[in-house]
């Protein structure tokens, strides 16, 4: 496939990763993989439907959100055979009915399809929800054509936001992330553009995705960062080295994309799993989704299931509950294309893991380990320094150039 600017092709973006790896991080990446996938067995005691969310609130910086968010990537692309617009709207509105009040999308999901669908689905209760989206790829504002590579130039960001507002049918975006760190644009310039948008009332908060500690510090110094969205899950521990610690130090929220390990942690992606046409896990050669890796990592599922038996919960629910128990500023955003899976995910909020449970899970994971890297090398290359195991931003400025003096 022809490589485009900055080494990206449309598939490379997956990061339309990446979740687009992004999301990604992002992976707003949920449970469902294809229309032929059967719904999980739902073990969920949260069947109440009302206008007030039953979910506990958490803080991403100063932004209050429900403890679980709903990732809107899968409704537009990633695992093949996306739902119809009508079914996607039903799904998002059902998520609202179940208690989700934090919805995460991006301009590149589709491109533009997820934002349009999310905006349509949420317009009747816009004041009751928090909408996050992402910016930073070089995409035609109107047609959605991928021009190739990244573009976080301040003028591009500001123009793109005007079109995003129209697609989302709103006058402001609650949380706008830079989807990937642009190695050609100083992060201070990005933060400055975000500050201008906040001042103009077009966005309320901003964040970064797949950013390392050095970049986070530089951006936060220019204008306070609300949230970081990097890939993090029970089998992907990369942010624990430097990103989560710097978030805790600076009072920044952390939003894990792909909190269910691109669906693997639900236990439904078995070694004989039939991937749909267009499924990025297979088509983009994600190392953990080879037949060998799917088999060798089954011990992780068994560990999650063992703990889940105590709570009448699935492995996926335990994986989400583990994230919720790690830090109070962590807010997972699992996504799916199926209503039963969405209901199963929200049931994770009812699973309160004990200290003994957490210790057992950590000791078990340390003993089992994980086979395969979290993403192909060409996708990891688009991530900032310090976001992946084996890299560190300590003593560096991160991936972006310093601003001109």
């Amino acid at each position: 496939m022809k490589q485009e600017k900055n080494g990206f092709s449309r598939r490379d973006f997956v990061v339309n990763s990446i979740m687009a790896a992004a999301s990604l991080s992002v992976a707003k990446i949920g449970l469902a993989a294809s229309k032929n996938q059967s719904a999980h067995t739902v073990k969920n005691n949260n069947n109440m439907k009302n206008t007030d969310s039953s979910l506990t609130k958490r803080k991403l910086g100063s932004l209050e959100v429900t403890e679980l968010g709903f990732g809107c990537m899968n409704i537009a692309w990633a695992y093949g055979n996306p739902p119809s617009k009508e079914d996607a709207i039903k799904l998002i509105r059902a998520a609202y009915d179940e208690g989700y009040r934090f919805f995460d999308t991006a301009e590149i999901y589709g491109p533009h399809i997820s934002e349009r669908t999310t905006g349509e689905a949420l317009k009747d209760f816009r004041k009751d929800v928090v909408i996050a989206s992402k910016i930073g790829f070089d995409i035609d504002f109107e047609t959605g054509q991928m021009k190739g590579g990244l573009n976080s130039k301040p003028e591009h960001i500001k123009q793109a936001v005007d079109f995003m507002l129209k697609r989302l049918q709103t006058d402001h975006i609650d949380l706008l992330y830079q989807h990937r760190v642009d190695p050609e644009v100083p992060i201070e310039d990005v933060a400055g553009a975000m500050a201008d948008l906040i001042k103009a009332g077009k966005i309320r908060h901003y964040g970064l995705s797949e950013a390392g500690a050095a970049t986070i510090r530089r951006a936060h110094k220019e204008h306070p960062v609300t949230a970081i969205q990097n890939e993090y899950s029970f089998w992907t521990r990369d942010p624990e080295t430097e990103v989560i610690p710097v978030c805790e130090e600076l009072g920044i929220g952390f939003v894990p994309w792909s909190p269910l390990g691109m669906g693997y942690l639900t236990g439904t992606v078995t070694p004989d799993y039939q991937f749909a046409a267009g499924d990025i896990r297979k088509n983009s050669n994600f190392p953990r989704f080879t037949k060998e890796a799917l088999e060798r990592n089954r011990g992780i599922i068994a560990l999650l299931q063992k703990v889940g038996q105590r709570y009448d919960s699935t492995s996926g629910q335990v994986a989400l509950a583990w994230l919720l128990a790690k830090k109070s500023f962590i807010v997972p955003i699992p996504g799916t294309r199926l209503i039963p899976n969405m209901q199963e995910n929200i049931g994770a909020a009812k699973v309160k893991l004990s200290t003994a449970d957490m210790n057992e899970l950590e000791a078990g994971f340390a003993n089992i380990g994980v086979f395969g890297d979290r993403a192909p090398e060409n996708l990891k290359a688009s991530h900032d320094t310090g976001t992946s195991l084996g890299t560190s931003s300590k003593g560096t400025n991160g991936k972006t150039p310093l601003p001109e003096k």
Side-chain angles (χ1 to χ4, degrees):
M1 181 175 288
K2 181 181 178 180
Q3 295 294 304
E4 300 172 353
K5 178 183 175 184
N6 292 330
F8 283 81
S9 68
R10 178 165 180 137
R11 175 184 293 178
D12 280 345
F13 163 39
V14 100
V15 120
N16 239 158
S17 56
I18 184 100
M19 286 133 78
S23 343
L24 56 243
S25 40
V26 279
K28 30 233 171 23
I29 300 179
L31 292 170
S34 75
K35 284 190 174 179
N36 293 326
Q37 177 180 327
S38 61
H40 308 165
T41 299
V42 178
K43 298 180 179 180
N44 178 10
N45 295 321
N46 178 27
N47 294 319
M48 296 293 292
K49 290 188 178 182
N50 51 50
T51 55
D52 295 325
S53 175
S54 58
L55 291 173
T56 299
K57 296 296 181 65
R58 292 193 170 196
K59 286 287 191 73
L60 299 174
S62 61
L63 177 62
E64 186 175 77
V65 298
T66 47
E67 60 190 322
L68 287 170
F70 186 78
C72 299
M73 183 185 77
N74 298 12
I75 65 171
W77 81 289
Y79 298 152
N81 302 321
S84 67
K85 180 178 180 180
E86 292 74 17
D87 286 343
I89 289 173
K90 288 178 182 177
L91 170 63
I92 293 171
R93 289 177 177 170
Y96 175 85
D97 288 341
E98 290 290 335
Y100 292 92
R101 296 292 183 271
F102 180 33
F103 294 83
D104 184 277
T105 182
E107 64 167 354
I108 199 163
Y109 300 160
H112 297 172
I113 294 172
S114 177
E115 284 186 325
R116 289 196 186 97
T117 305
T118 301
E120 178 69 20
L122 296 176
K123 66 181 181 180
D124 289 342
F125 23 86
R126 176 65 183 94
K127 293 180 180 179
D128 300 327
V129 299
V130 172
I131 294 178
S133 194
K134 307 176 202 73
I135 198 80
F137 288 91
D138 203 358
I139 304 171
D140 186 273
F141 300 135
E142 296 186 358
T143 67
Q145 180 181 353
M146 300 280 292
K147 298 180 180 180
L150 303 169
N151 190 340
S152 282
K153 295 177 181 178
E155 58 272 23
H156 178 86
I157 291 176
K158 292 176 181 179
Q159 284 181 281
V161 165
D162 288 336
F163 287 89
M164 295 171 79
L165 292 173
K166 293 178 182 177
R167 289 192 292 271
L168 289 166
Q169 300 188 46
T170 184
D171 63 354
H172 72 278
I173 297 168
D174 298 290
L175 175 58
L176 180 66
Y177 297 94
Q178 180 194 38
H179 208 153
R180 288 297 179 270
V181 172
D182 190 335
E184 297 182 7
V185 181
I187 197 63
E188 290 82 0
D189 292 355
V190 174
M194 296 292 195
D196 290 343
L197 288 166
I198 291 171
K199 185 176 180 180
K202 295 182 179 181
I203 70 174
R204 299 285 173 82
H205 303 266
Y206 88 102
L208 308 174
S209 183
E210 284 302 327
T215 297
I216 294 168
R217 290 184 185 280
R218 287 172 57 191
H220 193 71
K221 185 177 180 180
E222 182 71 22
H223 190 88
V225 176
T226 292
I228 298 299
Q229 186 176 137
N230 286 15
E231 183 179 10
Y232 186 42
S233 67
F234 188 71
W235 76 342
T236 297
R237 306 299 188 90
D238 304 62
E240 293 179 348
T241 303
E242 66 172 64
V243 175
I244 291 177
V246 78
C247 286
E248 187 164 28
E249 175 192 339
L250 299 177
I252 298 170
F254 186 85
V255 178
W257 65 262
S258 197
L260 290 168
M262 300 183 84
Y264 185 79
L265 300 180
T266 67
T268 61
V269 187
T270 58
D272 59 353
Y273 185 84
Q274 297 298 306
F275 292 93
D279 193 319
I280 63 172
R281 295 171 295 185
K282 180 61 66 174
N283 295 352
S284 295
N285 300 314
F286 276 77
R288 293 181 185 174
F289 288 88
T290 64
K291 190 174 183 65
E292 179 184 11
L294 292 175
E295 180 62 48
R296 293 181 63 170
N297 286 321
R298 292 303 293 176
I300 295 173
I301 303 302
L303 175 61
L304 293 168
Q305 290 174 335
K306 179 183 177 182
V307 173
Q309 288 175 354
R310 299 167 197 161
Y311 300 93
D312 191 28
S313 299
T314 65
S315 60
Q317 288 175 325
V318 174
L320 293 173
W322 176 83
L323 285 168
L324 292 172
K326 290 293 285 184
K327 297 288 182 182
S328 62
F329 56 86
I330 289 178
V331 178
I333 50 170
T336 181
R337 298 183 302 108
L338 301 176
I339 289 176
N341 294 352
M342 173 273 292
Q343 293 170 326
E344 178 181 325
N345 290 344
I346 202 169
K350 298 292 184 181
V351 181
K352 307 299 182 184
L353 298 176
S354 68
T355 299
D357 294 329
M358 294 295 286
N359 290 340
E360 180 179 350
L361 288 167
E362 294 297 352
F365 180 77
N367 182 57
I368 298 168
V370 61
F371 180 81
D373 206 347
R374 69 183 179 108
E377 285 301 320
N378 63 319
L379 296 182
K380 288 177 62 180
S382 70
H383 299 170
D384 193 21
T385 306
T387 58
S388 297
L389 292 175
T391 72
S392 173
S393 68
K394 186 176 181 179
T396 78
N397 295 314
K399 212 170 195 178
T400 75
L402 293 173
E404 295 181 2
K405 295 183 178 179

